[in-house]
PDB file of all heavy atoms in Angstrom:
ATOM      1  N   ASP A 403     -12.887  -5.720  36.894  1.00  0.00           N
ATOM      2  CA  ASP A 403     -14.038  -6.620  36.995  1.00  0.00           C
ATOM      3  C   ASP A 403     -15.359  -5.851  37.080  1.00  0.00           C
ATOM      4  O   ASP A 403     -16.376  -6.290  36.553  1.00  0.00           O
ATOM      5  CB  ASP A 403     -13.902  -7.537  38.206  1.00  0.00           C
ATOM      6  CG  ASP A 403     -12.858  -8.619  37.987  1.00  0.00           C
ATOM      7  OD1 ASP A 403     -12.540  -8.920  36.814  1.00  0.00           O
ATOM      8  OD2 ASP A 403     -12.357  -9.158  38.983  1.00  0.00           O
ATOM      9  N   ASP A 404     -15.337  -4.721  37.754  1.00  0.00           N
ATOM     10  CA  ASP A 404     -16.571  -3.953  37.931  1.00  0.00           C
ATOM     11  C   ASP A 404     -16.984  -3.225  36.651  1.00  0.00           C
ATOM     12  O   ASP A 404     -18.084  -2.688  36.561  1.00  0.00           O
ATOM     13  CB  ASP A 404     -16.430  -2.959  39.087  1.00  0.00           C
ATOM     14  CG  ASP A 404     -15.296  -1.971  38.876  1.00  0.00           C
ATOM     15  OD1 ASP A 404     -14.273  -2.341  38.252  1.00  0.00           O
ATOM     16  OD2 ASP A 404     -15.413  -0.821  39.342  1.00  0.00           O
ATOM     17  N   LYS A 405     -16.102  -3.192  35.629  1.00  0.00           N
ATOM     18  CA  LYS A 405     -16.410  -2.526  34.359  1.00  0.00           C
ATOM     19  C   LYS A 405     -16.312  -3.493  33.187  1.00  0.00           C
ATOM     20  O   LYS A 405     -16.007  -3.104  32.072  1.00  0.00           O
ATOM     21  CB  LYS A 405     -15.458  -1.350  34.142  1.00  0.00           C
ATOM     22  CG  LYS A 405     -15.617  -0.251  35.175  1.00  0.00           C
ATOM     23  CD  LYS A 405     -14.643   0.869  34.925  1.00  0.00           C
ATOM     24  CE  LYS A 405     -14.758   1.919  36.028  1.00  0.00           C
ATOM     25  NZ  LYS A 405     -13.703   2.919  35.922  1.00  0.00           N
ATOM     26  N   ALA A 406     -16.557  -4.756  33.444  1.00  0.00           N
ATOM     27  CA  ALA A 406     -16.512  -5.770  32.379  1.00  0.00           C
ATOM     28  C   ALA A 406     -17.543  -5.431  31.306  1.00  0.00           C
ATOM     29  O   ALA A 406     -18.620  -4.914  31.596  1.00  0.00           O
ATOM     30  CB  ALA A 406     -16.773  -7.154  32.952  1.00  0.00           C
ATOM     31  N   TYR A 407     -17.196  -5.727  30.066  1.00  0.00           N
ATOM     32  CA  TYR A 407     -18.107  -5.490  28.963  1.00  0.00           C
ATOM     33  C   TYR A 407     -17.841  -6.513  27.868  1.00  0.00           C
ATOM     34  O   TYR A 407     -16.845  -7.223  27.887  1.00  0.00           O
ATOM     35  CB  TYR A 407     -17.992  -4.058  28.437  1.00  0.00           C
ATOM     36  CG  TYR A 407     -16.717  -3.783  27.663  1.00  0.00           C
ATOM     37  CD1 TYR A 407     -16.725  -3.756  26.270  1.00  0.00           C
ATOM     38  CD2 TYR A 407     -15.499  -3.555  28.309  1.00  0.00           C
ATOM     39  CE1 TYR A 407     -15.563  -3.514  25.546  1.00  0.00           C
ATOM     40  CE2 TYR A 407     -14.345  -3.302  27.600  1.00  0.00           C
ATOM     41  CZ  TYR A 407     -14.380  -3.285  26.218  1.00  0.00           C
ATOM     42  OH  TYR A 407     -13.232  -3.051  25.511  1.00  0.00           O
ATOM     43  N   ARG A 408     -18.717  -6.556  26.903  1.00  0.00           N
ATOM     44  CA  ARG A 408     -18.643  -7.559  25.830  1.00  0.00           C
ATOM     45  C   ARG A 408     -18.116  -6.924  24.545  1.00  0.00           C
ATOM     46  O   ARG A 408     -18.612  -5.881  24.122  1.00  0.00           O
ATOM     47  CB  ARG A 408     -20.046  -8.112  25.596  1.00  0.00           C
ATOM     48  CG  ARG A 408     -20.088  -9.306  24.684  1.00  0.00           C
ATOM     49  CD  ARG A 408     -21.483  -9.897  24.709  1.00  0.00           C
ATOM     50  NE  ARG A 408     -21.497 -11.138  23.953  1.00  0.00           N
ATOM     51  CZ  ARG A 408     -22.446 -11.469  23.108  1.00  0.00           C
ATOM     52  NH1 ARG A 408     -23.479 -10.673  22.929  1.00  0.00           N
ATOM     53  NH2 ARG A 408     -22.390 -12.610  22.455  1.00  0.00           N
ATOM     54  N   HIS A 409     -17.126  -7.566  23.938  1.00  0.00           N
ATOM     55  CA  HIS A 409     -16.632  -7.143  22.625  1.00  0.00           C
ATOM     56  C   HIS A 409     -17.703  -7.506  21.593  1.00  0.00           C
ATOM     57  O   HIS A 409     -18.105  -8.666  21.502  1.00  0.00           O
ATOM     58  CB  HIS A 409     -15.350  -7.883  22.262  1.00  0.00           C
ATOM     59  CG  HIS A 409     -14.159  -7.458  23.040  1.00  0.00           C
ATOM     60  ND1 HIS A 409     -12.886  -7.758  22.631  1.00  0.00           N
ATOM     61  CD2 HIS A 409     -14.006  -6.746  24.187  1.00  0.00           C
ATOM     62  CE1 HIS A 409     -12.005  -7.268  23.491  1.00  0.00           C
ATOM     63  NE2 HIS A 409     -12.679  -6.661  24.452  1.00  0.00           N
ATOM     64  N   THR A 410     -18.137  -6.526  20.831  1.00  0.00           N
ATOM     65  CA  THR A 410     -19.189  -6.761  19.836  1.00  0.00           C
ATOM     66  C   THR A 410     -18.799  -6.245  18.456  1.00  0.00           C
ATOM     67  O   THR A 410     -19.675  -6.067  17.601  1.00  0.00           O
ATOM     68  CB  THR A 410     -20.505  -6.098  20.284  1.00  0.00           C
ATOM     69  OG1 THR A 410     -20.286  -4.703  20.504  1.00  0.00           O
ATOM     70  CG2 THR A 410     -21.068  -6.757  21.545  1.00  0.00           C
ATOM     71  N   VAL A 411     -17.520  -6.010  18.215  1.00  0.00           N
ATOM     72  CA  VAL A 411     -17.077  -5.516  16.898  1.00  0.00           C
ATOM     73  C   VAL A 411     -17.575  -6.437  15.799  1.00  0.00           C
ATOM     74  O   VAL A 411     -17.941  -5.978  14.705  1.00  0.00           O
ATOM     75  CB  VAL A 411     -15.537  -5.376  16.846  1.00  0.00           C
ATOM     76  CG1 VAL A 411     -15.066  -4.966  15.463  1.00  0.00           C
ATOM     77  CG2 VAL A 411     -15.061  -4.378  17.888  1.00  0.00           C
ATOM     78  N   VAL A 412     -17.638  -7.731  16.063  1.00  0.00           N
ATOM     79  CA  VAL A 412     -18.102  -8.702  15.055  1.00  0.00           C
ATOM     80  C   VAL A 412     -19.499  -8.338  14.546  1.00  0.00           C
ATOM     81  O   VAL A 412     -19.823  -8.587  13.384  1.00  0.00           O
ATOM     82  CB  VAL A 412     -18.036 -10.151  15.596  1.00  0.00           C
ATOM     83  CG1 VAL A 412     -18.999 -10.373  16.750  1.00  0.00           C
ATOM     84  CG2 VAL A 412     -18.283 -11.153  14.478  1.00  0.00           C
ATOM     85  N   ASP A 413     -20.335  -7.744  15.364  1.00  0.00           N
ATOM     86  CA  ASP A 413     -21.674  -7.346  14.924  1.00  0.00           C
ATOM     87  C   ASP A 413     -21.589  -6.242  13.868  1.00  0.00           C
ATOM     88  O   ASP A 413     -22.349  -6.243  12.895  1.00  0.00           O
ATOM     89  CB  ASP A 413     -22.522  -6.873  16.111  1.00  0.00           C
ATOM     90  CG  ASP A 413     -22.758  -7.983  17.125  1.00  0.00           C
ATOM     91  OD1 ASP A 413     -22.685  -9.174  16.764  1.00  0.00           O
ATOM     92  OD2 ASP A 413     -23.000  -7.655  18.311  1.00  0.00           O
ATOM     93  N   TYR A 414     -20.671  -5.297  14.052  1.00  0.00           N
ATOM     94  CA  TYR A 414     -20.468  -4.262  13.034  1.00  0.00           C
ATOM     95  C   TYR A 414     -19.854  -4.866  11.763  1.00  0.00           C
ATOM     96  O   TYR A 414     -20.241  -4.508  10.654  1.00  0.00           O
ATOM     97  CB  TYR A 414     -19.588  -3.121  13.580  1.00  0.00           C
ATOM     98  CG  TYR A 414     -19.362  -2.021  12.565  1.00  0.00           C
ATOM     99  CD1 TYR A 414     -20.431  -1.350  11.996  1.00  0.00           C
ATOM    100  CD2 TYR A 414     -18.079  -1.655  12.195  1.00  0.00           C
ATOM    101  CE1 TYR A 414     -20.234  -0.331  11.066  1.00  0.00           C
ATOM    102  CE2 TYR A 414     -17.861  -0.635  11.270  1.00  0.00           C
ATOM    103  CZ  TYR A 414     -18.943   0.011  10.714  1.00  0.00           C
ATOM    104  OH  TYR A 414     -18.737   1.019   9.787  1.00  0.00           O
ATOM    105  N   ILE A 415     -18.955  -5.804  11.919  1.00  0.00           N
ATOM    106  CA  ILE A 415     -18.366  -6.477  10.760  1.00  0.00           C
ATOM    107  C   ILE A 415     -19.450  -7.181   9.958  1.00  0.00           C
ATOM    108  O   ILE A 415     -19.443  -7.133   8.715  1.00  0.00           O
ATOM    109  CB  ILE A 415     -17.261  -7.469  11.198  1.00  0.00           C
ATOM    110  CG1 ILE A 415     -16.115  -6.734  11.902  1.00  0.00           C
ATOM    111  CG2 ILE A 415     -16.763  -8.288  10.015  1.00  0.00           C
ATOM    112  CD1 ILE A 415     -15.459  -5.622  11.106  1.00  0.00           C
ATOM    113  N   ASP A 416     -20.390  -7.804  10.630  1.00  0.00           N
ATOM    114  CA  ASP A 416     -21.508  -8.458   9.932  1.00  0.00           C
ATOM    115  C   ASP A 416     -22.297  -7.450   9.103  1.00  0.00           C
ATOM    116  O   ASP A 416     -22.736  -7.748   7.987  1.00  0.00           O
ATOM    117  CB  ASP A 416     -22.425  -9.180  10.917  1.00  0.00           C
ATOM    118  CG  ASP A 416     -21.799 -10.443  11.494  1.00  0.00           C
ATOM    119  OD1 ASP A 416     -20.800 -10.950  10.919  1.00  0.00           O
ATOM    120  OD2 ASP A 416     -22.290 -10.910  12.542  1.00  0.00           O
ATOM    121  N   GLU A 417     -22.467  -6.231   9.626  1.00  0.00           N
ATOM    122  CA  GLU A 417     -23.118  -5.156   8.849  1.00  0.00           C
ATOM    123  C   GLU A 417     -22.300  -4.820   7.601  1.00  0.00           C
ATOM    124  O   GLU A 417     -22.845  -4.661   6.508  1.00  0.00           O
ATOM    125  CB  GLU A 417     -23.270  -3.890   9.688  1.00  0.00           C
ATOM    126  CG  GLU A 417     -24.263  -3.961  10.794  1.00  0.00           C
ATOM    127  CD  GLU A 417     -24.271  -2.660  11.597  1.00  0.00           C
ATOM    128  OE1 GLU A 417     -24.039  -1.571  11.014  1.00  0.00           O
ATOM    129  OE2 GLU A 417     -24.508  -2.736  12.825  1.00  0.00           O
ATOM    130  N   LEU A 418     -20.983  -4.683   7.787  1.00  0.00           N
ATOM    131  CA  LEU A 418     -20.122  -4.325   6.659  1.00  0.00           C
ATOM    132  C   LEU A 418     -20.143  -5.400   5.576  1.00  0.00           C
ATOM    133  O   LEU A 418     -20.084  -5.097   4.384  1.00  0.00           O
ATOM    134  CB  LEU A 418     -18.680  -4.089   7.137  1.00  0.00           C
ATOM    135  CG  LEU A 418     -18.466  -2.887   8.045  1.00  0.00           C
ATOM    136  CD1 LEU A 418     -17.011  -2.818   8.501  1.00  0.00           C
ATOM    137  CD2 LEU A 418     -18.877  -1.589   7.352  1.00  0.00           C
ATOM    138  N   LYS A 419     -20.237  -6.652   5.975  1.00  0.00           N
ATOM    139  CA  LYS A 419     -20.289  -7.750   5.000  1.00  0.00           C
ATOM    140  C   LYS A 419     -21.520  -7.657   4.105  1.00  0.00           C
ATOM    141  O   LYS A 419     -21.506  -8.153   2.976  1.00  0.00           O
ATOM    142  CB  LYS A 419     -20.281  -9.113   5.715  1.00  0.00           C
ATOM    143  CG  LYS A 419     -18.938  -9.453   6.307  1.00  0.00           C
ATOM    144  CD  LYS A 419     -18.976 -10.783   7.058  1.00  0.00           C
ATOM    145  CE  LYS A 419     -17.605 -11.133   7.621  1.00  0.00           C
ATOM    146  NZ  LYS A 419     -17.631 -12.388   8.397  1.00  0.00           N
ATOM    147  N   ARG A 420     -22.581  -7.016   4.587  1.00  0.00           N
ATOM    148  CA  ARG A 420     -23.812  -6.872   3.803  1.00  0.00           C
ATOM    149  C   ARG A 420     -23.817  -5.619   2.932  1.00  0.00           C
ATOM    150  O   ARG A 420     -24.711  -5.446   2.115  1.00  0.00           O
ATOM    151  CB  ARG A 420     -25.014  -6.873   4.738  1.00  0.00           C
ATOM    152  CG  ARG A 420     -25.251  -8.218   5.413  1.00  0.00           C
ATOM    153  CD  ARG A 420     -26.558  -8.270   6.182  1.00  0.00           C
ATOM    154  NE  ARG A 420     -26.635  -7.310   7.283  1.00  0.00           N
ATOM    155  CZ  ARG A 420     -26.244  -7.544   8.534  1.00  0.00           C
ATOM    156  NH1 ARG A 420     -25.724  -8.715   8.850  1.00  0.00           N
ATOM    157  NH2 ARG A 420     -26.374  -6.629   9.466  1.00  0.00           N
ATOM    158  N   ARG A 421     -22.824  -4.753   3.105  1.00  0.00           N
ATOM    159  CA  ARG A 421     -22.787  -3.522   2.302  1.00  0.00           C
ATOM    160  C   ARG A 421     -22.191  -3.808   0.923  1.00  0.00           C
ATOM    161  O   ARG A 421     -21.091  -4.344   0.820  1.00  0.00           O
ATOM    162  CB  ARG A 421     -21.930  -2.455   2.986  1.00  0.00           C
ATOM    163  CG  ARG A 421     -22.565  -1.846   4.186  1.00  0.00           C
ATOM    164  CD  ARG A 421     -21.761  -0.669   4.685  1.00  0.00           C
ATOM    165  NE  ARG A 421     -22.213  -0.233   5.984  1.00  0.00           N
ATOM    166  CZ  ARG A 421     -21.612   0.703   6.702  1.00  0.00           C
ATOM    167  NH1 ARG A 421     -20.519   1.302   6.244  1.00  0.00           N
ATOM    168  NH2 ARG A 421     -22.093   1.046   7.873  1.00  0.00           N
ATOM    169  N   PRO A 422     -22.914  -3.425  -0.118  1.00  0.00           N
ATOM    170  CA  PRO A 422     -22.344  -3.618  -1.451  1.00  0.00           C
ATOM    171  C   PRO A 422     -21.114  -2.727  -1.636  1.00  0.00           C
ATOM    172  O   PRO A 422     -21.024  -1.639  -1.067  1.00  0.00           O
ATOM    173  CB  PRO A 422     -23.480  -3.205  -2.403  1.00  0.00           C
ATOM    174  CG  PRO A 422     -24.491  -2.514  -1.570  1.00  0.00           C
ATOM    175  CD  PRO A 422     -24.234  -2.835  -0.126  1.00  0.00           C
ATOM    176  N   GLY A 423     -20.172  -3.207  -2.411  1.00  0.00           N
ATOM    177  CA  GLY A 423     -18.989  -2.414  -2.724  1.00  0.00           C
ATOM    178  C   GLY A 423     -17.855  -2.555  -1.731  1.00  0.00           C
ATOM    179  O   GLY A 423     -16.842  -1.877  -1.861  1.00  0.00           O
ATOM    180  N   LEU A 424     -18.022  -3.414  -0.729  1.00  0.00           N
ATOM    181  CA  LEU A 424     -16.951  -3.645   0.232  1.00  0.00           C
ATOM    182  C   LEU A 424     -16.469  -5.083   0.133  1.00  0.00           C
ATOM    183  O   LEU A 424     -17.265  -6.007  -0.045  1.00  0.00           O
ATOM    184  CB  LEU A 424     -17.416  -3.375   1.665  1.00  0.00           C
ATOM    185  CG  LEU A 424     -17.734  -1.949   2.052  1.00  0.00           C
ATOM    186  CD1 LEU A 424     -18.154  -1.882   3.520  1.00  0.00           C
ATOM    187  CD2 LEU A 424     -16.559  -1.020   1.798  1.00  0.00           C
ATOM    188  N   GLN A 425     -15.191  -5.245   0.285  1.00  0.00           N
ATOM    189  CA  GLN A 425     -14.602  -6.581   0.418  1.00  0.00           C
ATOM    190  C   GLN A 425     -14.199  -6.725   1.875  1.00  0.00           C
ATOM    191  O   GLN A 425     -13.491  -5.864   2.418  1.00  0.00           O
ATOM    192  CB  GLN A 425     -13.392  -6.720  -0.492  1.00  0.00           C
ATOM    193  CG  GLN A 425     -12.749  -8.085  -0.437  1.00  0.00           C
ATOM    194  CD  GLN A 425     -11.533  -8.172  -1.329  1.00  0.00           C
ATOM    195  OE1 GLN A 425     -10.678  -7.281  -1.297  1.00  0.00           O
ATOM    196  NE2 GLN A 425     -11.454  -9.207  -2.126  1.00  0.00           N
ATOM    197  N   VAL A 426     -14.652  -7.786   2.512  1.00  0.00           N
ATOM    198  CA  VAL A 426     -14.391  -8.016   3.929  1.00  0.00           C
ATOM    199  C   VAL A 426     -13.740  -9.388   4.069  1.00  0.00           C
ATOM    200  O   VAL A 426     -14.299 -10.389   3.631  1.00  0.00           O
ATOM    201  CB  VAL A 426     -15.691  -7.942   4.763  1.00  0.00           C
ATOM    202  CG1 VAL A 426     -15.398  -8.188   6.236  1.00  0.00           C
ATOM    203  CG2 VAL A 426     -16.395  -6.607   4.550  1.00  0.00           C
ATOM    204  N   MET A 427     -12.562  -9.399   4.683  1.00  0.00           N
ATOM    205  CA  MET A 427     -11.838 -10.655   4.850  1.00  0.00           C
ATOM    206  C   MET A 427     -11.396 -10.744   6.311  1.00  0.00           C
ATOM    207  O   MET A 427     -10.743  -9.835   6.831  1.00  0.00           O
ATOM    208  CB  MET A 427     -10.612 -10.671   3.930  1.00  0.00           C
ATOM    209  CG  MET A 427      -9.813 -11.945   4.032  1.00  0.00           C
ATOM    210  SD  MET A 427      -8.533 -12.112   2.778  1.00  0.00           S
ATOM    211  CE  MET A 427      -7.586 -10.636   2.952  1.00  0.00           C
ATOM    212  N   ASP A 428     -11.765 -11.854   6.947  1.00  0.00           N
ATOM    213  CA  ASP A 428     -11.370 -11.987   8.342  1.00  0.00           C
ATOM    214  C   ASP A 428     -10.345 -13.097   8.524  1.00  0.00           C
ATOM    215  O   ASP A 428     -10.279 -14.044   7.757  1.00  0.00           O
ATOM    216  CB  ASP A 428     -12.565 -12.178   9.271  1.00  0.00           C
ATOM    217  CG  ASP A 428     -13.452 -13.353   8.913  1.00  0.00           C
ATOM    218  OD1 ASP A 428     -12.954 -14.378   8.438  1.00  0.00           O
ATOM    219  OD2 ASP A 428     -14.671 -13.235   9.121  1.00  0.00           O
ATOM    220  N   PHE A 429      -9.532 -12.886   9.543  1.00  0.00           N
ATOM    221  CA  PHE A 429      -8.518 -13.845   9.957  1.00  0.00           C
ATOM    222  C   PHE A 429      -8.899 -14.276  11.368  1.00  0.00           C
ATOM    223  O   PHE A 429      -8.635 -13.564  12.328  1.00  0.00           O
ATOM    224  CB  PHE A 429      -7.120 -13.197   9.931  1.00  0.00           C
ATOM    225  CG  PHE A 429      -6.700 -12.786   8.560  1.00  0.00           C
ATOM    226  CD1 PHE A 429      -6.998 -11.520   8.072  1.00  0.00           C
ATOM    227  CD2 PHE A 429      -6.004 -13.670   7.739  1.00  0.00           C
ATOM    228  CE1 PHE A 429      -6.619 -11.139   6.796  1.00  0.00           C
ATOM    229  CE2 PHE A 429      -5.622 -13.299   6.470  1.00  0.00           C
ATOM    230  CZ  PHE A 429      -5.928 -12.036   5.990  1.00  0.00           C
ATOM    231  N   PRO A 430      -9.517 -15.451  11.511  1.00  0.00           N
ATOM    232  CA  PRO A 430     -10.095 -15.864  12.784  1.00  0.00           C
ATOM    233  C   PRO A 430      -9.112 -16.494  13.759  1.00  0.00           C
ATOM    234  O   PRO A 430      -9.440 -17.461  14.431  1.00  0.00           O
ATOM    235  CB  PRO A 430     -11.178 -16.854  12.349  1.00  0.00           C
ATOM    236  CG  PRO A 430     -10.627 -17.467  11.116  1.00  0.00           C
ATOM    237  CD  PRO A 430      -9.843 -16.368  10.425  1.00  0.00           C
ATOM    238  N   LEU A 431      -7.943 -15.948  13.877  1.00  0.00           N
ATOM    239  CA  LEU A 431      -6.978 -16.433  14.859  1.00  0.00           C
ATOM    240  C   LEU A 431      -7.210 -15.682  16.159  1.00  0.00           C
ATOM    241  O   LEU A 431      -7.213 -14.447  16.172  1.00  0.00           O
ATOM    242  CB  LEU A 431      -5.554 -16.200  14.357  1.00  0.00           C
ATOM    243  CG  LEU A 431      -5.251 -16.797  12.975  1.00  0.00           C
ATOM    244  CD1 LEU A 431      -3.907 -16.328  12.490  1.00  0.00           C
ATOM    245  CD2 LEU A 431      -5.317 -18.309  13.030  1.00  0.00           C
ATOM    246  N   ASP A 432      -7.445 -16.393  17.244  1.00  0.00           N
ATOM    247  CA  ASP A 432      -7.772 -15.813  18.537  1.00  0.00           C
ATOM    248  C   ASP A 432      -8.974 -14.872  18.339  1.00  0.00           C
ATOM    249  O   ASP A 432      -9.974 -15.286  17.804  1.00  0.00           O
ATOM    250  CB  ASP A 432      -6.567 -15.118  19.164  1.00  0.00           C
ATOM    251  CG  ASP A 432      -6.815 -14.732  20.617  1.00  0.00           C
ATOM    252  OD1 ASP A 432      -7.567 -15.451  21.312  1.00  0.00           O
ATOM    253  OD2 ASP A 432      -6.286 -13.699  21.049  1.00  0.00           O
TER     254      ASP A 432
END
Side-chain angles (χ1 to χ4, degrees):
D403 287 339
D404 60 328
K405 296 179 184 172
Y407 72 101
R408 189 171 186 223
H409 288 196
T410 57
V411 176
V412 65
D413 297 336
Y414 181 57
I415 298 303
D416 288 343
E417 290 177 33
L418 294 177
K419 287 178 178 178
R420 293 188 298 270
R421 287 188 191 174
L424 292 181
Q425 181 181 47
V426 180
M427 181 170 55
D428 56 34
F429 296 90
L431 305 171
D432 190 32

